[in-house]
Amino acid sequence: MTRTGTAGNAGETLHVDDLHVQFHTPRGVVRAVDGVSFDLLPGERLGLVGESGSGKSTIALALLRMIKPPGRIVSGKVQLGNDDLSTISDDDMRRMRMARIALVPQGAMNSLNPVTRIKHQLIDTMKAHGAAPDSGPKERLETRVEELLESVGLKQEVAERYPHELSGGMKQRVCIAIAIALRPSVIIADEPTSALDVVVQRQIMQTLGAVQKRIGASVLLIGHDMGLMAQFVDRVGVMYGGKLAEIGETARLFAEPRHPYTQVLISSLPSFDRESQFIKIAGQPHSPLNPPSGCVFHPRCPHAFDICPRVIPELRTVGPQQVVACHLYDEANGGTRTPNERMSAVAPSGR
Amino acid sequence: MSAFLEVRNVTKVFGHGDNATVALSDFSYEINEASPSITAVAGESGSGKSTLARLLLGFIDPTQGEVLYRGKNLKSLSNQERQQFRREVQAIFQDPFGVYNPFYKVDHLLKTPLKSFKLASSRTDARQQIEAALDTVGLNPGEILGRYPHQLSGGQRQRITIARALLLRPRLIIADEPVSMVDASLRATILESLLKLNREFGISFLYITHDLTTAYQIAERLIVLYQGTVSEAGGVRPVIRDPQHPYTRLLISSIPTPDPNQHWTDEAVVVPGDQVEAVITDGCPFAPRCPHVMPECLTEMPPLFRSKEAAVACYLYRDAPQVPDRNLTAVLGAIGTKGASPAKSSVSVGSMTR
């Protein structure tokens, strides 16, 4: 626990190993995150994409140890640099947040304190999560506020304003400034632009990218928009039903998706290039209380075969930096079996 | 013959004095029954697109101008006409979770309109109509009827609201962001249902969205709004593939393309919209952010110019003829149903932006 809370930790790897998060509800147990493992390398941009209920936001909260009851991290290991975030004390974890692993929340409008000037929100964060709470003279903190606002493209006047005086995009920039205030090594961005228009979204993502590069942090971008992933991240992990279906380098994943879910997801993206046709994923997402046996995607999968309802597929490497959890790629099936015709079983309904 | 629904020079101002906000400014457009069309109205939040929807539904009254239903002002409809208007113009809203009363089974939502408008002769008839409507939107009545809203997914609920609208045999459906709260895998199913209603039942749609990609998928006409004014309007393909207005260009180039090889261009060298301080009251509302701003942009609102089959509110096109009375019907009215416009090529998003 030597480095907890020390600012300026760029260059650390975040290891997530077999993470399980469950919600114990009166109607049963929901396995929101069901055995997810990945590494976030120093300076890397990794995306986690999935539909609502896929567990992607729960992962974000679990990494920060902010899961609230009835939710609980059941098992798994989260390691940042040399520190095991799953075993450190609550006090140490609090110092770890923002200082080494920061969050840009979803819906900036609701995450700022409405009765506090922007300046104080930044200073409070630095004090609460900084190494020595009252360190530094006042002037130095104010200079730091100016630097931070400038780095996210905001004018100095913003420091004196209240959140309600700012637009949604400006508030999200403030949230980015707060997230980078202590130079964390990992920035978790949970749908940071979901409430913003595309023009503002692009500006915010470009700002996030620029500050991330400057401080050398890595970014875990959580979202549902494959377009945003294509534009921003180096690697994408596709979540379905609390599990990673596939994870791979962005260009490769888009060019050659291996998991049937990823395949339909990518082919169903609306595009101006293609003559529009509606490619649908058959069926409905399952109830989280009652997930299907075996592979959770099998009831909707166009390629499902006998083993799928019985055995949960393991993640296996199918190519350079591409890992897939699907029986189509089992060794018994030749290891690199590919669906004979990528979209064969998904009938596009012409217009 | 008068149009089915006409918006004539409508301006809507919220608040007054120093707090006045012009939500929609001098907007004119007609929806005709004879050629059922899908018109997409696209814009950011604050562009006035939802204000337009509420004006058309008669939820709010225009500050200036009028909304005419079959040639008659919405405000002066008789009870009988109003009843007919309520049946013929239906709405589908964004949130498929908020429109249901959680204490009633979904059957209630489907039976009530049939009862209120006396559209069913018997219980059996009502049941048959409901089953047919659910079937049309791709739902299995056996799986849906008798259930409570919380037992259904967002996609199922949104399709039930479409079935409910369909039961009333409307002529126009105003769909305000119907897929923005639905997951990607179900979005296509809902859009397909809307398209089917247009094709098979001749229902016109006003599809209100912030998402140009879905507008491109189902609409044939497109109106782009910016801060209450029309910046560009025309056929959905030409406008998206070859946008004329600097704002439309910025908007289209900002869409994150789901293709890692096609990156956001850095073409958007404009003032970020969240940091514009000057509010233009007389000129073009986009002027403070526009890379091509000229002196006249700051003093007078540009009229709609006719450039390449589209209407563009920008002085860059001042040499083109003007659209009379800013009436979009002159530009959009001729754009037919989608099946009849086969001009399809594969132009990429990247190449559309200059």
Side-chain angles (χ1 to χ4, degrees):
Chain A
M1 258 341 8
T2 47
R3 299 180 57 220
T4 310
T6 320
N9 299 288
E12 293 179 307
T13 301
L14 179 75
H15 297 280
V16 179
D17 189 22
D18 201 25
L19 184 66
H20 288 260
V21 183
Q22 299 182 352
F23 287 80
H24 292 258
T25 73
R27 290 191 292 142
V29 177
V30 172
R31 298 167 193 274
V33 178
D34 198 16
V36 169
S37 309
F38 60 87
D39 282 352
L40 177 63
L41 305 174
E44 186 189 31
R45 296 174 177 180
L46 172 67
L48 280 184
V49 66
E51 304 184 9
S52 42
S54 62
K56 57 190 193 302
S57 289
T58 308
I59 289 183
L61 293 177
L63 297 183
L64 291 154
R65 265 183 44 191
M66 281 163 56
I67 300 278
K68 295 205 175 95
R72 196 160 62 84
I73 299 175
V74 178
S75 62
K77 190 170 167 184
V78 178
Q79 183 154 355
L80 179 60
N82 297 318
D83 295 314
D84 186 346
L85 302 194
S86 22
T87 54
I88 60 175
S89 71
D90 287 350
D91 271 352
D92 285 340
M93 188 63 218
R94 191 175 56 78
R95 281 192 285 273
M96 187 78 85
R97 291 188 199 115
M98 301 317 272
R100 285 173 59 193
I101 178 163
L103 177 71
V104 179
Q106 184 173 15
M109 33 295 301
N110 304 323
S111 58
L112 297 172
N113 185 338
V115 295
T116 308
R117 291 184 200 277
I118 298 303
K119 179 171 81 179
H120 296 299
Q121 313 220 11
L122 278 155
I123 291 175
D124 288 352
T125 305
M126 289 190 270
K127 281 185 177 169
H129 299 279
D134 296 309
S135 72
K138 202 173 161 228
E139 298 74 43
R140 220 172 70 200
L141 284 175
E142 301 220 338
T143 318
R144 182 76 184 125
V145 168
E146 284 176 22
E147 285 169 17
L148 285 168
L149 290 177
E150 196 190 333
S151 69
V152 295
L154 289 171
K155 297 198 179 106
Q156 298 310 322
E157 297 94 272
V158 172
E160 299 297 330
R161 304 247 187 107
Y162 289 97
H164 75 265
E165 298 176 276
L166 307 179
S167 70
M170 291 168 91
K171 278 186 255 191
Q172 197 54 275
R173 283 171 197 268
V174 170
C175 288
I176 294 175
I178 292 174
I180 61 164
L182 295 168
R183 299 184 168 271
S185 44
V186 176
I187 302 170
I188 298 174
D190 185 6
E191 307 234 18
T193 57
S194 61
L196 304 172
D197 301 307
V198 284
V199 178
V200 181
Q201 165 173 280
R202 172 167 73 168
Q203 290 159 349
I204 295 292
M205 292 314 292
Q206 286 173 341
T207 303
L208 180 62
V211 297
Q212 173 238 347
K213 265 192 200 140
R214 190 171 327 132
I215 66 171
S218 50
V219 172
L220 182 66
L221 176 67
I222 311 246
H224 63 273
D225 183 347
M226 287 300 270
L228 203 56
M229 294 296 164
Q231 295 297 323
F232 192 79
V233 300
D234 307 317
R235 277 198 303 150
V236 188
V238 179
M239 300 275 307
Y240 187 86
K243 294 178 193 294
L244 268 174
E246 177 164 6
I247 185 163
E249 194 257 318
T250 308
R252 184 173 291 274
L253 188 117
F254 274 82
E256 221 180 312
R258 298 301 189 95
H259 196 286
Y261 175 65
T262 321
Q263 290 172 354
V264 203
L265 198 64
I266 285 173
S267 64
S268 69
L269 291 170
S271 156
F272 297 147
D273 296 354
R274 238 192 336 259
E275 183 38 41
S276 35
Q277 46 182 220
F278 296 109
I279 296 172
K280 296 175 288 187
I281 304 183
Q284 303 284 340
H286 60 260
S287 156
L289 286 164
N290 186 21
S293 60
C295 170
V296 281
F297 187 60
H298 88 261
R300 304 176 74 187
C301 181
H303 304 290
F305 56 105
D306 53 354
I307 190 173
C308 301
R310 290 187 283 115
V311 182
I312 298 173
E314 298 286 320
L315 277 170
R316 62 179 64 246
T317 305
V318 293
Q321 291 215 12
Q322 198 163 10
V323 179
V324 179
C326 176
H327 290 304
L328 289 172
Y329 306 97
D330 284 353
E331 264 153 39
N333 292 318
T336 53
R337 173 172 159 177
T338 44
N340 29 3
E341 170 64 272
R342 195 185 288 171
M343 283 301 107
S344 58
V346 193
S349 51
R351 36 187 346 167
Chain B
M1 204 188 89
S2 46
F4 175 71
L5 198 61
E6 179 182 359
V7 191
R8 193 183 285 172
N9 300 109
V10 160
T11 296
K12 179 67 189 177
V13 182
F14 289 107
H16 26 109
D18 290 344
N19 292 322
T21 307
V22 182
L24 191 66
S25 169
D26 197 8
F27 185 89
S28 297
Y29 185 52
E30 284 170 23
I31 290 159
N32 283 300
E33 236 179 325
S35 53
S37 58
I38 301 184
T39 307
V41 179
E44 326 182 325
S45 44
S47 62
K49 56 190 196 300
S50 290
T51 300
L52 176 63
R54 291 165 67 204
L55 284 163
L56 282 168
L57 288 163
F59 293 172
I60 52 174
D61 294 328
T63 312
Q64 279 164 38
E66 47 189 358
V67 181
L68 305 168
Y69 166 65
R70 297 190 185 279
K72 229 175 150 183
N73 193 317
L74 276 192
K75 283 192 232 176
S76 56
L77 296 180
S78 68
N79 281 347
Q80 200 190 344
E81 287 165 334
R82 177 165 297 276
Q83 180 87 344
Q84 195 191 356
F85 169 77
R86 282 273 166 261
R87 183 179 70 72
E88 289 195 325
V89 181
Q90 284 299 309
I92 298 168
F93 297 105
Q94 178 175 14
D95 182 0
F97 301 88
V99 298
Y100 289 89
N101 183 331
F103 293 105
Y104 287 115
K105 290 178 182 170
V106 295
D107 310 36
H108 179 80
L109 183 97
L110 295 163
K111 279 181 195 156
T112 308
L114 288 177
K115 229 184 265 173
S116 313
F117 290 94
K118 301 187 177 62
L119 292 174
S121 55
S122 66
R123 261 184 207 195
T124 328
D125 182 31
R127 176 88 188 182
Q128 279 168 354
Q129 286 191 38
I130 288 171
E131 288 183 359
L134 288 172
D135 209 45
T136 306
V137 297
L139 290 172
N140 178 353
E143 287 175 13
I144 299 296
L145 296 174
R147 297 260 207 139
Y148 286 95
H150 71 263
Q151 297 173 299
L152 303 169
S153 73
Q156 286 174 318
R157 291 189 217 190
Q158 194 62 299
R159 276 186 282 167
I160 294 168
T161 65
I162 297 170
R164 186 205 58 83
L166 177 64
L167 280 174
L168 296 174
R169 300 161 215 157
R171 306 313 310 150
L172 169 67
I173 293 179
I174 294 170
D176 192 353
E177 302 267 17
V179 293
S180 66
M181 287 179 71
V182 175
D183 282 322
S185 72
L186 300 169
R187 197 172 294 157
T189 316
I190 296 193
L191 292 175
E192 196 183 42
S193 302
L194 298 183
L195 206 56
K196 190 172 176 188
L197 263 52
N198 172 252
R199 298 284 177 276
E200 292 180 13
F201 299 87
I203 299 170
S204 290
F205 277 86
L206 199 72
Y207 176 73
I208 295 185
T209 185
H210 68 278
D211 179 3
L212 283 171
T213 45
T214 58
Y216 186 84
Q217 277 189 305
I218 70 161
E220 52 259 1
R221 307 170 182 182
L222 175 65
I223 300 171
V224 180
L225 293 179
Y226 183 75
Q227 293 190 5
T229 61
V230 175
S231 61
E232 186 162 352
V236 73
R237 278 159 214 276
V239 170
I240 285 180
R241 291 196 170 150
D242 185 18
Q244 315 276 308
H245 195 286
Y247 171 64
T248 325
R249 282 190 220 151
L250 172 66
L251 188 66
I252 288 166
S253 69
S254 296
I255 296 169
T257 320
D259 178 355
N261 302 316
Q262 236 182 62
H263 269 281
W264 270 324
T265 52
D266 284 332
E267 170 252 8
V269 194
V270 291
V271 185
D274 53 10
Q275 292 177 50
V276 174
E277 304 210 333
V279 176
I280 298 295
T281 45
D282 300 319
C284 170
F286 189 61
R289 300 171 65 187
C290 184
H292 307 285
V293 64
M294 296 174 280
E296 57 268 52
C297 302
L298 301 168
T299 53
E300 199 182 342
M301 178 64 208
L304 285 172
F305 294 104
R306 191 81 198 239
S307 169
K308 293 193 193 172
E309 302 305 305
V312 189
C314 178
Y315 286 117
L316 289 174
Y317 305 93
R318 73 177 91 212
D319 297 334
Q322 288 187 21
V323 178
D325 198 29
R326 310 180 67 85
N327 192 337
L328 297 176
T329 317
V331 182
L332 298 178
I335 298 166
T337 52
K338 205 151 198 180
S341 62
K344 290 156 191 167
S345 60
S346 98
V347 178
S348 64
V349 184
S351 66
M352 294 186 308
T353 56
R354 295 191 229 162

